[in-house]
């Protein structure tokens, strides 16, 4: 039987006022409780008093960047383990995306924000968080899951941000086979997107692991 959950709270951190207003109006119209901050200091103050379900945070903020804010929040313990952190960025380069994921971000959205994609990512993130809170996926505990060597290799490459074609090339297997391994990883680990897979690879110490030859 599914459990009822209270409306989610989302903190939006964005220095461009019109984007912040648009996000707030859009999320409020969907029934979410919305908190807003225009810089890292305001966001940190809010997080010291509140525990939102999701933080949507711009990368390029005045003063401390979004990366620096996330690092400080993790170090100080002000960001609850159950709070998902999603970056908003106009940066299309792969490197900053990986930097954010390794800092502990759960996902990325590229500006200008696609509102349909925003809502889909929020819904998926909340569904995963609810499973954690309901005890379906124990948070902070070792996963009692056996991964084959090939599954570990695929998960490692997902943790490095590699796409299906690149993984197939690195491992010298077909893209169809890679897709099968990814599907099995999602099933075994209780995840449903590549951002969760990357985060899981990092938490298991698989991201960036050398020696990928079979």
């Amino acid at each position: 039987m599914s459990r009822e959950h209270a409306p989610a709270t989302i903190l939006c951190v964005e220095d461009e006022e019109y984007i912040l207003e648009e996000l707030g109006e859009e999320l409020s119209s969907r029934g979410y409780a919305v908190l807003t901050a225009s810089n890292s200091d305001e966001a940190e103050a809010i997080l010291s008093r509140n525990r939102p379900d999701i933080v949507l945070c711009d990368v390029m903020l005045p003063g401390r960047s979004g990366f620096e804010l996330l690092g400080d929040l993790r170090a100080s313990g002000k960001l609850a383990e159950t709070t998902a952190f999603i970056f908003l960025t106009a940066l299309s380069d792969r490197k900053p995306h990986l930097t954010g994921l390794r800092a502990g971000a759960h996902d990325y959205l590229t500006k200008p924000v696609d509102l349909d994609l925003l809502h889909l990512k929020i819904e998926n993130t909340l569904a995963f968080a609810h499973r954690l809170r309901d005890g379906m996926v124990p948070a902070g505990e070792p996963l009692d899951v056996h991964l084959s060597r090939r599954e570990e290799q695929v998960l490692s490459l997902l943790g490095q941000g590699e796409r299906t074609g690149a993984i197939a090339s690195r491992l010298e297997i077909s893209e169809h086979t890679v897709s099968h391994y990814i599907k099995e990883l999602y099933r075994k680990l209780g995840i449903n997107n590549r951002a969760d897979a990357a985060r899981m690879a990092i938490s298991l110490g698989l991201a960036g692991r050398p020696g990928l030859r079979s």
Side-chain angles (χ1 to χ4, degrees):
M1 182 182 296
S2 61
R3 304 185 188 183
E4 293 295 324
H5 298 283
T9 299
I10 300 176
L11 170 60
C12 299
V13 189
E14 169 61 62
D15 64 309
E16 295 188 58
E17 186 176 353
Y18 76 97
I19 296 179
L20 189 60
E21 289 180 358
E22 181 183 13
L23 285 171
E25 291 173 2
E26 180 67 23
L27 295 172
S28 295
S29 73
R30 295 296 185 100
Y32 299 117
V34 180
L35 304 171
T36 60
S38 59
N39 57 55
S40 293
D41 291 344
E42 288 181 11
E44 188 166 5
I46 290 172
L47 288 166
S48 68
R49 304 187 303 269
N50 300 273
R51 183 175 291 189
D53 297 276
I54 296 174
V55 177
L56 296 176
C57 183
D58 188 21
V59 170
M60 305 301 290
L61 292 169
R64 284 182 294 167
S65 70
F67 293 149
E68 291 170 322
L69 171 62
L70 178 55
D72 290 345
L73 291 171
R74 294 289 189 202
S76 66
K78 291 181 180 176
L79 188 68
E81 289 295 326
T82 53
T83 296
F85 204 100
I86 298 176
F87 277 124
L88 306 175
T89 180
L91 302 172
S92 59
D93 185 43
R94 178 170 169 268
K95 185 175 180 180
H97 288 208
L98 293 177
T99 298
L101 290 172
R102 290 191 176 112
H106 295 76
D107 211 337
Y108 262 92
L109 278 166
T110 303
K111 294 180 179 180
V113 175
D114 180 321
L115 294 178
D116 290 333
L117 184 58
L118 168 67
H119 289 302
L120 182 60
K121 285 181 179 286
I122 288 174
E123 289 166 9
N124 287 343
T125 299
L126 290 174
F128 186 69
H130 290 156
R131 291 170 63 198
L132 287 175
R133 292 174 185 175
D134 292 346
M136 295 172 65
V137 181
E141 296 181 10
L143 291 171
D144 185 19
V145 173
H146 171 72
L147 299 181
S148 68
R149 173 169 171 74
R150 185 66 88 189
E151 287 170 340
E152 287 188 354
Q153 291 172 334
V154 172
L155 185 58
S156 172
L157 290 168
L158 287 173
Q160 297 173 52
E162 297 286 5
R163 311 304 295 179
T164 301
I167 294 173
S169 177
R170 290 280 298 275
L171 299 180
E172 298 181 349
I173 56 180
S174 71
E175 291 189 27
H176 176 77
T177 301
V178 172
S179 296
H180 170 74
Y181 281 122
I182 292 173
K183 182 177 179 180
E184 281 299 293
L185 285 167
Y186 285 9
R187 181 185 65 81
K188 287 184 177 183
L189 299 175
I191 57 180
N192 58 15
N193 58 62
R194 286 173 177 265
D196 284 340
R199 184 163 53 89
M200 191 69 73
I202 292 166
S203 69
L204 294 175
L206 293 174
R209 176 181 287 187
L212 288 172
R213 288 193 297 269
S214 55

